[in-house]
Amino acid sequence: EVFNYSIFDGLVFYLSVFTLFFVLKKFVTIVPKVIAVILLISATILFSQFDNKKLLVGEKLNLVMFDVGQGDSFLLMFPNGKTALIDAGEKTEYFDNGEFILYPFLKRNKIEKIDYAFVSHLDTDHAGGFNYLVEKNLVNTIYLPSFDSTNFEDLQFERHFKKYGVEIQHYKKSKLNIGGAALYILNDEYS
């Protein structure tokens, strides 16, 4: 569930606060005040959950897009529960999308593994967030584009994944059948 506070939640909260102050003035002894506070807190929690939505529905193909700044990031959950993450946003010295955006979402939704990770290209705004997820042992297999073996940064990127035992695949035209869904990798090997 995503606990995104809506206008309804705000109205319930402020109505509860107003009611609490109004009710507390009416009671003289402590026992009715305590009972009123407990009832109001319980009602506020109950009413604020009415419009919460479950994002990932079991046995269906789910797609979630994350706002990770300049780059992009998409999570696919297949009908059999397998997951794929396409890009993971940026990691800078000030903010890591893997740590502060993706990881909390995965934990909140009880996703223990990313079965397939796809890096569209090795620029940091698409690939940087994967580092944290790999270090937390959340990635099984990662698909990478072919890279320049003379480029130190590209080599370092791949070594980092190998260090954590992540299986590395390089893109080639193929079809993955995952949980009743087909995922096509369309790769132009000459560009």
Side-chain angles (χ1 to χ4, degrees):
E1 289 181 292
V2 173
F3 300 102
N4 193 6
Y5 291 102
S6 64
I7 293 173
F8 177 76
D9 294 331
L11 289 172
V12 167
F13 174 76
Y14 287 112
L15 184 61
S16 297
V17 169
F18 174 76
T19 305
L20 183 64
F21 285 118
F22 180 74
V23 168
L24 290 179
K25 286 182 179 182
K26 296 289 182 188
F27 294 118
V28 181
T29 62
I30 191 77
V31 173
K33 288 182 180 184
V34 169
I35 291 172
V37 168
I38 291 171
L39 288 173
L40 279 169
I41 290 173
S42 299
T44 302
I45 291 170
L46 177 68
F47 287 123
S48 69
Q49 293 182 10
F50 282 158
D51 61 348
N52 289 344
K53 297 178 178 106
K54 192 165 183 93
L55 281 181
L56 301 174
V57 181
E59 299 181 14
K60 295 195 183 268
L61 182 62
N62 295 273
L63 172 67
V64 178
M65 179 179 175
F66 299 98
D67 180 0
V68 291
Q70 181 178 331
D72 55 20
S73 183
F74 299 91
L75 176 76
L76 289 164
M77 180 176 260
F78 296 93
N80 66 351
K82 296 276 187 186
T83 56
L85 183 64
I86 304 167
D87 288 340
E90 190 170 24
K91 175 185 179 181
T92 67
E93 64 181 290
Y94 304 108
F95 191 80
D96 183 346
N97 282 294
E99 181 177 1
F100 297 115
I101 303 291
L102 302 173
Y103 183 72
F105 180 86
L106 297 173
K107 286 297 163 197
R108 179 146 199 112
N109 289 282
K110 296 176 179 65
I111 297 173
E112 296 178 7
K113 281 285 187 187
I114 299 297
D115 298 295
Y116 307 94
F118 297 92
V119 178
S120 62
H121 58 281
L122 296 176
D123 291 350
T124 186
D125 61 333
H126 291 264
F130 277 116
N131 290 328
Y132 185 82
L133 301 176
V134 166
E135 290 165 8
K136 285 290 192 181
N137 196 28
L138 293 174
V139 177
N140 279 341
T141 303
I142 194 157
Y143 285 79
L144 300 172
S146 299
F147 63 90
D148 181 2
S149 60
T150 61
N151 185 333
F152 178 72
E153 288 179 4
D154 291 356
L155 285 171
Q156 191 176 23
F157 191 76
E158 189 166 309
R159 281 189 201 128
H160 181 74
F161 292 138
K162 285 182 180 177
K163 176 176 140 183
Y164 287 95
V166 176
E167 179 186 342
I168 296 174
Q169 298 284 330
H170 290 278
Y171 288 126
K172 61 182 178 224
K173 288 184 183 175
S174 59
K175 174 183 170 184
L176 300 172
N177 291 308
I178 308 168
L183 182 68
Y184 293 90
I185 298 173
L186 305 174
N187 181 46
D188 184 359
E189 297 168 6
Y190 302 107
S191 61

